[in-house]
Amino acid sequence: MKTRQIILGMLIFFMAVSPAYATPDLYSWMFNIDGVVTEYVNEYDTSGMPVNAALGTNDLGIFTYRVATQGAHSFIGYFDYEFDEAQNTFFNERGSVSGSPGAGMSWQIDTIDNLAAGNIFDNLYDNTLNNSNMIPDEGDISWAMGWDYFLEANQAAVIRLVVSAVMPDAGFFLTHTDNDTGESIYFSGILDIQPVPEPQSLALLGLGCVMLFLARGMSSRFRNRKGKCIAGNM
């Protein structure tokens, strides 16, 4: 009985002194798409993004953008997540980098804290992310990731940015860690350039579908007429 009481007392003690799970929330966001910058209006408000945002608990999820215009393009997505800011402040965070970025890819981890002003805002506006982690130890983390790319005729680009509490198995990604709790979220992305069927191919495909539909209709009418002739001859 005493042993059980001691164990229970130890559990209560460690629960009391252990830091609580850190809850991330998206404080602010910005996108620079082909030189046009769109940014948040209200803090912790995810509405108005120029991308498709499929977000779940704590504003984590997938941000998707698609374009099919021939020529040179640029894209940058910026996010500033906070971990339990009201409980353990916002400048107790650190960033880290894993893997190697792909061709045409750029990134940056930096702060916008007035006590240690970074340049991630300026670099986002100028499309000049510096591929550097400026907060390896402690500060107010924000991060950005983007691509410069070119689309040929009949090509489309799909960009997916993923912010998740689950660490990617491989590839390039950024990590945002809350120093007080040790909890982390991860930022990764992919640029996928896909072929788009030429208009002639789509027209031929549509014509083929129409011909197939007409052929099926004619075959059905022929069978019906044949049945009627057989019935009449009987």
Side-chain angles (χ1 to χ4, degrees):
M1 183 67 178
K2 291 183 178 180
T3 302
R4 293 178 61 185
Q5 290 176 341
I6 293 174
I7 293 175
L8 179 60
M10 292 177 64
L11 288 174
I12 293 174
F13 171 78
F14 284 115
M15 289 175 64
V17 299
S18 298
Y21 179 83
T23 302
D25 291 298
L26 183 53
Y27 174 81
S28 64
W29 54 267
M30 289 194 296
F31 292 91
N32 183 339
I33 301 177
D34 294 337
V36 178
V37 176
T38 306
E39 57 186 294
Y40 76 105
V41 176
N42 300 309
E43 300 168 356
Y44 299 106
D45 184 359
T46 60
S47 63
M49 292 185 180
V51 300
N52 179 33
L55 305 180
T57 305
N58 304 328
D59 297 332
L60 304 180
I62 302 175
F63 305 84
T64 305
Y65 174 74
R66 187 181 189 277
V67 62
T69 305
Q70 182 180 4
H73 294 275
S74 62
F75 176 96
I76 296 177
Y78 161 93
F79 305 107
D80 180 7
Y81 282 85
E82 303 296 353
F83 285 96
D84 287 341
E85 179 181 354
Q87 300 179 23
N88 62 12
T89 73
F90 57 88
F91 51 80
N92 61 330
E93 306 161 348
R94 70 178 186 274
S96 59
V97 186
S98 301
S100 300
M105 188 179 191
S106 60
W107 60 275
Q108 186 169 342
I109 297 177
D110 208 342
T111 182
I112 58 172
D113 185 355
N114 291 331
L115 300 178
N119 61 0
I120 193 168
F121 273 14
D122 292 339
N123 290 349
L124 179 139
Y125 271 86
D126 296 336
N127 191 30
T128 55
L129 299 182
N130 61 19
N131 300 328
S132 299
N133 176 17
M134 307 305 295
I135 315 293
D137 299 314
E138 188 168 72
D140 179 19
I141 290 290
S142 62
W143 50 19
M145 185 179 297
W147 290 266
D148 291 318
Y149 57 99
F150 189 92
L151 293 180
E152 302 288 351
N154 304 315
Q155 283 186 328
V158 178
I159 295 174
R160 293 184 180 88
L161 303 178
V162 180
V163 183
S164 172
V166 179
M167 179 186 294
D169 294 332
F172 177 78
F173 61 91
L174 310 179
T175 303
H176 175 172
T177 301
D178 180 81
N179 284 334
D180 284 2
T181 64
E183 300 294 337
S184 298
I185 56 175
Y186 307 92
F187 185 19
S188 60
I190 185 172
L191 165 64
D192 183 17
I193 296 180
Q194 307 169 345
V196 176
E198 297 182 2
Q200 297 89 336
S201 300
L202 291 175
L204 289 174
L205 178 60
L207 179 61
C209 291
V210 171
M211 295 298 292
L212 179 60
F213 175 78
L214 292 175
R216 288 181 175 176
M218 292 175 64
S219 176
S220 176
R221 289 194 296 273
F222 175 76
R223 287 196 300 268
N224 290 339
R225 289 181 178 178
K226 184 177 180 181
K228 290 180 179 179
C229 291
I230 294 174
N233 292 334
M234 290 177 63

